Amino acid sequence: IHHRYARVRGEALDDVLLEGTNHDDVAHARDHLGCILDRLAPSVQEVLLHTVVNGESAGETAAALGVSAPSVASRAYRARERLRQEYLSAQVPPTDVAECAVCTDLLGAYVRGALRIRRHRQVEQHLGRCAECRRREEEVRLVNRSLPGTAFDH
């Protein structure tokens, strides 16, 4: 599925992720889009391909995937949310510190309020004792505020 994104990602997905952002931010995000998509499960990529990239309706996507239209709507909502989370996590530079790496990998989901309780507490505890990761969290929160609110919702 990733190869299908490659030819259109400069158009459809950039527009979805980066509507209203400045040119430098778009160029930076486009460089990382392939890595972001690779982090998504193939089933999530497939739903995004049909609904976002190809612009198919829930009914059209349902027929292609062999599921119901309400199932597609639910999957598309979750897929767009996963895309947001992975996009946010990709904004954090990698670290060699193992405990920080676990935390930074989860920052996108943490900021979006999508972590389960145990993971949420794990990230909160780490942020309570790591100033560098708190700085990274603030950066992720700033990027999160700049994401378009309705661009993901069809």
Side-chain angles (χ1 to χ4, degrees):
I1 292 173
H2 179 70
H3 69 280
R4 287 192 255 174
Y5 280 118
R7 79 187 153 136
V8 293
R9 70 175 172 219
E11 301 161 14
L13 290 174
D14 283 354
D15 291 343
V16 168
L17 279 172
L18 304 166
E19 179 182 292
T21 59
N22 72 46
H23 178 73
D24 292 338
D25 291 340
V26 170
H28 174 73
R30 188 172 290 143
D31 289 342
H32 297 291
L33 190 55
C35 294
I36 295 165
L37 292 170
D38 285 342
R39 291 176 65 156
L40 298 172
S43 60
V44 173
Q45 292 179 23
E46 187 170 39
V47 169
L48 290 172
L49 174 68
H50 286 282
T51 59
V52 176
V53 176
N54 295 344
E56 295 174 11
S57 69
E60 292 167 325
T61 303
L65 300 179
V67 298
S68 69
S71 176
V72 167
S74 177
R75 289 178 188 190
Y77 175 83
R78 289 192 311 266
R80 290 188 302 268
E81 180 57 29
R82 288 292 301 145
L83 181 62
R84 288 182 190 113
Q85 292 169 23
E86 291 300 334
Y87 174 76
L88 290 171
S89 291
Q91 305 308 303
V92 181
T95 179
D96 293 333
V97 180
E99 189 177 355
C100 292
V102 170
C103 180
T104 56
D105 282 347
L106 298 171
L107 280 179
Y110 176 78
V111 166
R112 302 280 307 163
L115 290 178
R116 295 182 187 245
I117 293 171
R118 190 179 119 250
R119 286 291 200 179
H120 181 87
R121 286 184 184 145
Q122 179 184 10
V123 172
E124 272 189 342
Q125 289 172 354
H126 180 76
L127 292 173
R129 59 183 181 269
C130 181
E132 179 61 24
C133 286
R134 279 194 307 276
R135 184 191 61 75
R136 291 172 177 198
E137 177 208 5
E138 281 305 312
E139 290 176 8
V140 170
R141 286 192 184 281
L142 286 172
V143 174
N144 184 53
R145 284 187 215 120
S146 72
L147 288 177
T150 58
F152 290 86
D153 304 318
H154 293 287

